[in-house]
């Protein structure tokens, strides 16, 4: 079987910030690299909030998330890694020579010396509104994410949920919508404290503890009115709406990876300080990897990527340098600098 497959040094599973930076750093270390993403585009969890501003990446001024994704993608392609889209990796089979065969749900196979798992929270799907007939409104005014703000201008918007995204959307829509109402089934919100305070001090109507219990439509095509039920008393509150946004969290699917024998819990794989899993030649990076000093920031994902890749390089070649030379001294960038018109004399 392996004779029919091309052998890669590193195969990265996952195309979020950790996966993309791993692909770039793998090129810095002159490794033959493949990145496999289950979706049809790179970005990972960042695709959920393309219009949010990202402030906490070192040396990068505040930037729209979609622009940061584009820049990370451009960087990831620097050394021309092989990119594979639309394949959900399920199976892992170790070969007699220590290499691995990865198998996708669709049957495609990939041969690799090492694997970096940068799968974030797995294949994420928005938790749908569990009300009968709700799906019919998904083509009109029932939303599970906010891709653009402008369609909500001048509208009466209901947001059901209390996490970071619900709070952020409320704050972003408040200046342009005619009215924003947030209904959350708990008294406490799960978002960042500063953003919650901003929301509560604005014109946003915050209703707690309420849950969305019924949808009404006279034409069967768009939601025109909803019932919000008080969790503790059962009292009903009627609300006229133009748009409904539901943010009830995410459901995660790690598919067959949970059957590989990795030391993991429901959300994470446990790794050591070298980002090594309990399986030789397999590493974790980004949100999926957990260790005691974990930093859950995009910046932390970049560090994870470099650590995991350096460990993979040393696994294949114990005599190799411990880390890549920095870009200012790395021969792999000489020709690229010339292409940019930068002289190193």
């Amino acid at each position: 079987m392996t004779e029919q497959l091309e052998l890669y040094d590193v195969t990265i599973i996952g195309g979020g910030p950790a996966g993309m930076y791993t692909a770039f750093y793998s090129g810095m270390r002159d490794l033959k690299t493949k990145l496999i993403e289950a979706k049809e585009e790179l970005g990972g969890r960042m695709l959920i909030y393309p219009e949010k501003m990202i402030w906490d990446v070192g040396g990068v001024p505040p930037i729209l998330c979609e622009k940061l994704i584009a820049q990370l993608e451009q960087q990831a392609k620097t050394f021309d890694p092989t990119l594979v889209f639309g394949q959900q990796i399920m199976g892992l089979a170790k070969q007699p020579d220590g290499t691995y065969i990865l198998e996708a749900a669709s049957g495609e196979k990939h041969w690799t010396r090492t694997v970096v798992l940068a799968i974030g929270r797995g294949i994420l799907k928005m938790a749908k509104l569990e009300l009968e007939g709700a799906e019919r409104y998904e083509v009109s005014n029932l939303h599970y994410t906010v891709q653009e703000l402008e369609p909500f201008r001048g509208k009466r918007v209901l947001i059901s949920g209390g996490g970071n995204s619900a709070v952020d959307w409320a704050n972003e829509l408040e200046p342009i919508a005619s009215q924003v109402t947030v209904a959350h089934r708990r008294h406490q919100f799960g978002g960042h404290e500063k953003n919650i305070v901003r929301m509560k001090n604005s014109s946003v109507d915050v209703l707690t503890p309420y849950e969305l219990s019924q949808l009404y439509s006279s034409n069967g095509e768009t939601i025109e009115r909803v019932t919000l039920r008080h969790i503790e008393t059962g009292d009903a509150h009627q609300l006229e709406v133009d748009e409904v946004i539901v943010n009830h969290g995410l459901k995660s699917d790690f598919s067959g990876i949970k059957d590989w024998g990795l030391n993991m819990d429901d959300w994470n794989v446990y790794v050591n300080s070298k980002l090594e899993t309990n399986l030789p030649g397999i590493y974790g990076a980004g949100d999926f990897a957990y260790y005691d000093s974990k930093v859950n920031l995009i910046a932390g994902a970049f560090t994870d990527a470099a650590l995991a890749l350096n460990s993979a390089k040393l696994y294949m070649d114990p005599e190799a340098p411990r880390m890549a030379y920095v870009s200012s001294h790395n021969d792999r960038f000489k020709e690229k600098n010339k292409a940019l018109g930068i002289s190193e004399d």
Side-chain angles (χ1 to χ4, degrees):
M1 177 192 300
T2 55
E3 289 78 9
Q4 304 170 9
L5 300 172
E6 188 174 0
L7 178 62
Y8 283 78
D9 295 318
V10 178
T11 298
I12 304 153
I13 303 177
M20 286 189 278
Y21 194 76
T22 304
F24 167 73
Y25 195 81
S26 185
M28 285 182 67
R29 303 228 60 179
D30 200 20
L31 295 174
K32 188 174 181 179
T33 309
K34 178 184 286 187
L35 186 152
I36 304 172
E37 167 56 47
K39 294 182 179 179
E40 296 296 336
E41 59 184 326
L42 296 173
R45 192 174 180 182
M46 297 170 71
L47 294 168
I48 297 172
Y49 42 88
E51 291 205 358
K52 285 182 65 175
M53 294 298 294
I54 306 297
W55 288 74
D56 53 7
V57 178
V60 178
I63 183 173
L64 276 175
C65 187
E66 62 183 358
K67 186 174 181 181
L68 181 59
I69 293 172
Q71 292 182 180
L72 283 169
E73 180 173 352
Q74 181 181 6
Q75 184 184 48
K77 294 176 178 178
T78 301
F79 298 103
D80 300 315
T82 297
L83 301 179
V84 177
F85 295 100
Q87 291 191 27
Q88 182 179 359
I89 297 300
M90 303 284 286
L92 174 78
K94 191 171 185 179
Q95 305 304 295
D97 62 357
T99 60
Y100 289 100
I101 299 291
L102 299 166
E103 183 171 2
S106 50
E108 290 88 346
K109 291 181 172 61
H110 307 271
W111 188 21
T112 186
R113 290 188 171 93
T114 63
V115 178
V116 177
L117 295 169
I119 56 178
R121 298 301 186 191
I123 297 176
L124 296 174
K125 298 178 181 179
M126 291 289 184
K128 294 296 187 75
L129 183 61
E130 296 180 355
L131 293 178
E132 185 177 357
E135 65 278 358
R136 79 180 68 165
Y137 303 114
E138 292 178 14
V139 297
S140 55
N141 63 340
L142 175 60
H143 314 273
Y144 290 100
T145 186
V146 175
Q147 298 291 336
E148 298 180 32
L149 299 177
E150 194 58 30
F152 298 89
R153 182 175 295 277
K155 303 289 186 66
R156 298 167 297 179
V157 181
L158 168 68
I159 301 174
S160 176
N164 276 318
S165 293
V167 174
D168 288 346
W169 291 337
N171 286 329
E172 291 173 5
L173 291 172
E174 187 266 345
I176 67 170
S178 64
Q179 177 59 49
V180 176
T181 302
V182 176
H184 182 36
R185 66 191 322 277
R186 298 182 179 87
H187 288 287
Q188 301 297 322
F189 284 83
H192 295 299
E193 184 176 0
K194 183 177 181 180
N195 295 335
I196 295 169
V197 170
R198 176 187 167 192
M199 177 183 70
K200 290 184 175 179
N201 288 337
S202 71
S203 67
V204 174
D205 188 14
V206 178
L207 300 177
T208 61
Y210 278 89
E211 67 177 358
L212 185 54
S213 62
Q214 199 162 355
L215 309 174
Y216 300 93
S217 173
S218 61
N219 58 19
E221 297 179 356
T222 58
I223 304 167
E224 298 163 348
R225 181 167 52 93
V226 302
T227 295
L228 300 171
R229 186 183 69 86
H230 195 283
I231 297 295
E232 297 168 354
T233 67
D235 292 343
H237 177 74
Q238 303 292 311
L239 184 69
E240 303 289 331
V241 298
D242 298 308
E243 306 286 345
V244 176
I245 303 170
V246 173
N247 178 238
H248 291 175
L250 299 167
K251 292 184 177 180
S252 181
D253 179 13
F254 290 111
S255 62
I257 291 175
K258 295 204 77 168
D259 300 323
W260 288 9
L262 292 163
N263 181 17
M264 61 180 293
D265 58 22
D266 290 340
W267 293 99
N268 303 102
V269 65
Y270 292 94
V271 297
N272 61 19
S273 60
K274 298 178 182 179
L275 280 295
E276 297 168 327
T277 71
N278 59 303
L279 300 181
I282 299 181
Y283 309 87
D287 285 344
F288 184 54
Y290 179 80
Y291 49 95
D292 287 343
S293 57
K294 180 73 178 183
V295 177
N296 287 305
L297 294 172
I298 293 173
F302 300 156
T303 300
D304 285 358
L307 289 170
L309 199 284
N310 284 331
S311 293
K313 175 75 173 184
L314 290 170
Y315 174 81
M316 291 179 281
D317 180 7
E319 301 302 318
R322 186 176 59 86
M323 60 178 285
Y325 290 113
V326 296
S327 59
S328 57
H329 294 78
N330 192 312
D331 288 343
R332 298 226 73 194
F333 291 96
K334 284 187 176 180
E335 293 302 318
K336 296 184 181 299
N337 286 338
K338 289 180 182 177
L340 294 173
I342 299 171
S343 173
E344 297 185 3
D345 297 333

